[in-house]
């Protein structure tokens, strides 16, 4: 009886510890990935001349993918002012969502 109980409990304990370790590792990766706070960002204004269409605004966002970050005028903001064919680049995420 003791041998049968040990044969059942040891694999079960290994699975429980493995699942707990997987959740802990995933939580650490998520918090590390989105921990950088950006205190200024850029919105794209197509009415401005080429080369100055990315306009800087002060707003706090997190660096990374998620719910899009917007400024006080509800415009989507971006991480960098590198201007390409469609505008500013680099996704930002709202803080607290």
């Amino acid at each position: 009886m003791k041998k049968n109980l040990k044969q059942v409990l040891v694999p079960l304990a290994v699975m429980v510890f493995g699942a707990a370790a997987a959740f802990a590792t995933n939580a650490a990766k998520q918090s590390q990935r989105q921990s950088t706070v950006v205190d200024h960002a850029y919105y794209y204004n197509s009415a401005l001349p080429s080369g100055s269409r990315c306009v800087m605004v002060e707003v706090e966002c997190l660096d990374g993918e998620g719910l899009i970050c917007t400024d006080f005028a509800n415009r989507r903001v971006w991480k960098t002012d590198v201007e390409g064919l469609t505008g500013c680049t680099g996704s930002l995420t709202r803080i607290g969502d």
Side-chain angles (χ1 to χ4, degrees), residues 48-97:
L48 294 175
S50 181
S52 61
R53 291 182 179 158
C54 293
V55 181
M56 189 172 81
V57 291
E58 290 186 26
V59 61
E60 286 192 353
C61 300
L62 293 174
D63 187 4
E65 298 288 331
L67 294 175
I68 61 172
C69 190
T70 57
D71 66 357
F72 62 92
N74 208 28
R75 297 175 292 217
R76 183 173 184 173
V77 292
W78 304 90
K79 178 171 52 175
T80 62
D81 67 348
V82 176
E83 201 168 327
L85 296 176
T86 59
C88 311
T89 61
S91 294
L92 293 173
T93 303
R94 280 192 263 172
I95 293 178
D97 289 334

